[in-house]
Amino acid sequence: VAIEIPAGRRLDAITLVSYENPDIFAMSFVGLQAGSPWLDGLGFDIAGYSLMGWTHIQTPMAGVDLLPLIQSHANPPEFTLPLPSGIYTMLLEDVDTMIGYSLLYHVSAVPEPGSAGLILVGAIMLGRRKRRTRK
């Protein structure tokens, strides 16, 4: 699965909405890499050299944010969250069975550095105005 996070946006979370595997004890692999196409192997041939990180998912994990789990198995250099704009590729697979899954990608606007400054200036001006009216 290739996803593109547009300029001015960031990827805050990837929530596992649902996961279905006929084997209730099985786990599936989730890998994440920067760029596209998928550069690593498949199945038992995944070497991990191109991965940003990985995790396993299983049935009782619905509602879990996968990004921190993927980050916990990061290959050096480790990445920071949220992920900046760019193209990312995810591999979701199970080598023994067919799986069903649903993911929700949480993308938000990158806060502009100037916005915080404007809010601070506005707060200072309001504070000064209130002091003047009290005198």
Side-chain angles (χ1 to χ4, degrees), residues 9-100:
R9 302 281 182 186
R10 65 184 187 190
L11 180 61
D12 297 314
I14 301 173
T15 302
L16 180 65
V17 176
S18 66
Y19 173 77
E20 297 172 16
N21 191 321
D23 181 350
I24 61 169
F25 300 108
M27 291 186 280
S28 296
F29 174 83
V30 178
L32 180 68
Q33 75 169 30
S36 180
W38 183 254
L39 298 174
D40 215 314
L42 299 173
F44 294 110
D45 294 328
I46 295 174
Y49 300 119
S50 300
L51 296 180
M52 293 173 64
W54 62 274
T55 193
H56 285 112
I57 57 174
Q58 57 192 51
T59 302
M61 292 178 65
V64 170
D65 179 4
L66 298 180
L67 274 180
L69 298 176
I70 293 168
Q71 184 187 36
S72 71
H73 295 103
N75 288 333
E78 292 185 13
F79 61 92
T80 58
L81 298 176
L83 290 176
S85 63
I87 297 175
Y88 301 94
T89 302
M90 293 180 66
L91 174 70
L92 292 100
E93 74 173 356
D94 188 304
V95 294
D96 296 328
T97 60
M98 296 291 290
I99 60 172

